[in-house]
Amino acid sequence: MTTTVYQRLQGKWQSTDDDRSVIEIKEHQYIDYYDGKRLSTAAFILDRACPSQPGAGHPGDNENYLVEPQQDMCWEVVGVDDESLELSYTARGNSLNYRKVK
């Protein structure tokens, strides 16, 4: 059986640039922590594209765009495996790199 992007994203991820920055993907919740304190929690979907882009509006567990519809935020899932995660914040084009912590 193939593991989906959604399944691989589940867990806590620590930034490789700032050890105090951690994100947690828990079911369909994106939780942001800094220095051990929860900063925000938002629902997300995985989609074929960011909102307002061609191909958007087709959510699925194996799509490569992590979208927070309420916040109008979108990241491309560049790569994810059992140990590492790379996201590209599409509004700025900057890469965010994480390592799995649990």
Side-chain angles (χ1 to χ4, degrees):
M1 185 179 338
T2 305
T3 304
T4 65
V5 172
Y6 172 78
Q7 291 168 320
R8 288 191 303 261
L9 285 171
Q10 300 300 306
K12 282 193 175 183
W13 300 91
Q14 184 174 40
S15 171
T16 59
D17 294 321
D18 183 346
D19 288 347
R20 296 176 292 174
S21 178
V22 173
I23 61 171
E24 181 178 12
I25 307 294
K26 185 174 182 181
E27 298 176 4
H28 279 282
Q29 298 292 311
Y30 180 101
I31 306 164
D32 195 12
Y33 299 91
Y34 194 78
D35 208 16
K37 295 181 180 130
R38 183 185 292 207
L39 301 178
S40 64
T41 301
F44 77 89
I45 61 169
L46 292 174
D47 203 339
R48 290 184 190 168
C50 293
S52 78
Q53 298 296 316
H58 299 281
D61 287 351
N62 215 28
E63 303 302 345
N64 287 319
Y65 287 86
L66 192 152
V67 179
E68 286 185 14
Q70 299 290 4
Q71 307 296 324
D72 195 27
M73 297 178 78
C74 183
W75 296 264
E76 179 182 4
V77 180
V78 177
V80 60
D81 59 31
D82 292 339
E83 298 175 12
S84 62
L85 168 63
E86 181 180 354
L87 299 174
S88 176
Y89 183 52
T90 58
R92 281 187 254 155
N94 58 313
S95 289
L96 305 168
N97 294 288
Y98 300 90
R99 65 180 164 271
K100 188 94 171 231
V101 291
K102 91 175 188 187

